[in-house]
Amino acid sequence: MARILLGVTGGIAAYKACTLVRLLVRAGHDVYPVLTASAERFVSAETFFALARKQRAGDPYPHLAQADLLVVAPLTANTLAHIALGLADDLLTEAALAHSGPVLVAPAMNVRMWEHQATRDHVATLRARGVELVGPVEGELAEGEVGLGRMAEPEAIAARIEEILTRGPDGPLLGRRVVVSAGGTREPLDAVRFVGNRSSGRMGAAIAEEARRRGAEVTLLAANLAVPAPRGVVVVETPTAADVEREALARADADVIVMTAAVADYRPAARSSAKRPKDARSWQVELEPTADVLAALGAKRHPGQVLVGFAADGLDPGLERAREKRLSKGADLVVFNDVTRDDIGFDSDENEVVLLSEEGERTVEKAPKHEIAAAVLDEVERLLDAR
Ligand code: CTP
């Protein structure tokens, strides 16, 4: 049984939150509803208190202080912005600002509001803070339009709540701070063009997910991921090599840093902020070297830390180069994968790697990326234990 604070904001989906209360109460949870004034234009607060089998308390603060989980469903664009900015001008936003535990929100709004840059920025802020989202989903919206903006179904929200409540952060990496960089950087040439690479971010996302499952506090430095970020990790967008460098070095004191991202080795020396118009002449682009983030981290590495690099190369002489990279960049572990094979690596769900550390080398046979992630983290745990 968990104590759940359920915020309900003013949207047509507010009536569906009644079903959510019923599901949560049936599952044995103690639900305390908090409705905004505009939610009460759709459904009365009394309905929620009756479904939650609760009296509306004169002083709601004891309930707010004790919550194990804050859920806001539906979450309007307006309250979403308030929570992202830390504005506290009603009971719900005050509770959100005072609450320090997990937060799950189920946004519901018009598709154009959902897609507006302002909302995207606020969503990124919330995600970076560890707030989890369920939905919105595609479907018919209040105004008769169709698009992404409908609140997730109460059953889906209830299922996510169970998952959050049962997710025991009690694995072997409990209390460890793990930073994983994933994806491939894009170095702008002008306002619309970039120099990039084929890395999808699958391998890094799998490592972040596995580290989280093992109880670590995970930050994912996301460079243009083609896959969704795993749940429960803090996502920091790092689209360029300079972004990866800044954000990784800001976290150089982490217990474990895994650099899976394909960070550009070169970026255009000049970047135009406008789109370069087409003409008949050829376009000479000068590329300048970027900083090597792994090497910079290796130079700052603290004794208790485990630093992991990836080496994407052909088998021969790639393996030998991977051995050299481990030493020259100061990494404890290098994960080598052969990018010339098209059945594994970049766009594939599978990988086959060689783990290179001071103690020796071990091949992990071709397997789904989550199994490779588990093998890499087994090795990381072994190195942490040896510290
Ligand atoms: N890396 C980095 N910063 C860069 C380039 C690479 O931190 N500017 C990291 C990658 O995240 C990876 C490791 O260094 O963990 C090795 O990357 P890889 O591309 O295999 O090697 P490079 O050092 O770039 O050398 P080369 O491209 O010549 O193989």
Side-chain angles (χ1 to χ4, degrees):
M1 200 261 308
R3 281 169 301 208
I4 300 171
L5 189 61
L6 175 67
V8 181
T9 69
I12 187 72
Y15 79 93
K16 287 203 215 166
C18 298
T19 310
L20 179 61
V21 177
R22 194 176 281 140
L23 292 171
L24 295 174
V25 170
R26 201 183 296 154
H29 299 303
D30 182 17
V31 181
Y32 191 85
V34 177
L35 276 75
T36 61
S38 67
E40 290 211 52
R41 288 193 289 122
F42 293 88
V43 191
S44 89
E46 300 320 316
T47 308
F48 280 91
F49 280 100
L51 289 169
R53 300 177 195 153
K54 276 228 156 13
Q55 297 292 325
R56 190 175 197 162
D59 177 11
Y61 286 94
H63 295 279
L64 311 189
Q66 289 167 4
D68 299 306
L69 173 68
L70 168 65
V71 178
V72 188
L75 175 65
T76 57
N78 180 48
T79 304
L80 186 149
H82 272 69
I83 296 176
L85 293 171
L87 300 176
D89 59 359
D90 62 10
L91 193 57
L92 175 58
T93 48
E94 279 175 15
L97 196 56
H99 176 76
S100 59
V103 181
L104 176 70
V105 298
M109 64 194 73
N110 173 277
V111 57
R112 278 168 283 121
M113 290 165 88
W114 173 250
E115 285 172 356
H116 194 283
Q117 194 58 49
T119 307
R120 287 179 193 219
D121 291 347
H122 290 318
V123 166
T125 303
L126 292 178
R127 283 211 166 104
R129 220 181 268 157
V131 171
E132 298 190 40
L133 275 80
V134 52
V137 296
E138 289 260 350
E140 201 178 311
L141 305 175
E143 304 79 4
E145 281 182 85
V146 173
L148 194 62
R150 257 173 91 92
M151 186 177 85
E153 289 304 319
E155 291 74 15
I157 302 172
R160 273 294 285 282
I161 290 172
E162 287 310 321
E163 193 197 294
I164 293 171
L165 293 172
T166 53
R167 187 170 62 202
D170 55 355
L173 291 176
L174 179 64
R176 301 284 196 179
R177 283 182 307 128
V178 174
V179 175
V180 182
S181 72
T185 65
R186 293 178 177 177
E187 309 303 323
L189 278 161
D190 67 9
V192 296
R193 303 179 179 95
F194 58 83
V195 179
N197 62 70
R198 282 175 46 208
S199 181
S200 63
R202 277 192 188 85
M203 193 63 245
I207 290 185
E209 183 166 23
E210 182 63 18
R212 173 68 203 144
R213 217 179 55 74
R214 294 180 185 208
E217 217 178 274
V218 182
T219 302
L220 182 66
L221 305 184
N224 312 297
L225 300 188
V227 293
R231 286 177 196 150
V233 310
V234 175
V235 179
V236 178
E237 300 290 340
T238 52
T240 68
D243 296 325
V244 178
E245 182 188 6
R246 185 187 62 249
E247 299 299 334
L249 291 178
R251 295 168 178 80
D253 60 345
D255 299 299
V256 179
I257 305 183
V258 186
M259 289 292 297
T260 69
V263 183
D265 293 322
Y266 298 93
R267 72 173 143 242
R271 176 207 168 159
S272 156
S273 55
K275 183 183 169 202
R276 180 189 187 275
K278 181 172 71 176
D279 59 32
R281 290 172 298 138
S282 60
W283 182 5
Q284 300 278 350
V285 175
E286 189 190 336
L287 300 176
E288 64 179 17
T290 58
D292 191 307
V293 183
L294 182 59
L297 291 167
K300 295 181 84 168
R301 192 180 152 282
H302 65 83
Q305 182 179 68
V306 172
L307 183 60
V308 184
F310 269 63
D313 221 325
L315 186 58
D316 192 29
L319 199 50
E320 186 48 41
R321 279 168 37 81
R323 291 181 190 117
E324 285 161 17
K325 273 179 207 172
R326 192 181 74 77
L327 295 173
S328 65
K329 299 195 188 198
D332 300 286
L333 178 68
V334 163
V335 183
F336 168 79
N337 68 316
D338 182 353
V339 282
T340 59
R341 278 174 59 176
D342 54 16
D343 61 326
I344 54 170
F346 274 154
D347 286 327
S348 163
D349 287 326
E350 298 197 306
N351 211 349
E352 179 177 307
V353 300
V354 183
L355 305 181
L356 304 99
S357 69
E358 200 178 23
E359 281 98 82
E361 296 174 13
R362 182 165 73 87
T363 300
V364 184
E365 299 297 342
K366 186 169 156 180
K369 284 185 173 169
H370 66 91
E371 285 180 30
I372 303 287
V376 171
L377 287 173
D378 286 348
E379 190 63 20
V380 165
E381 281 181 25
R382 207 184 54 71
L383 290 166
L384 277 173
D385 289 345
R387 293 276 184 270

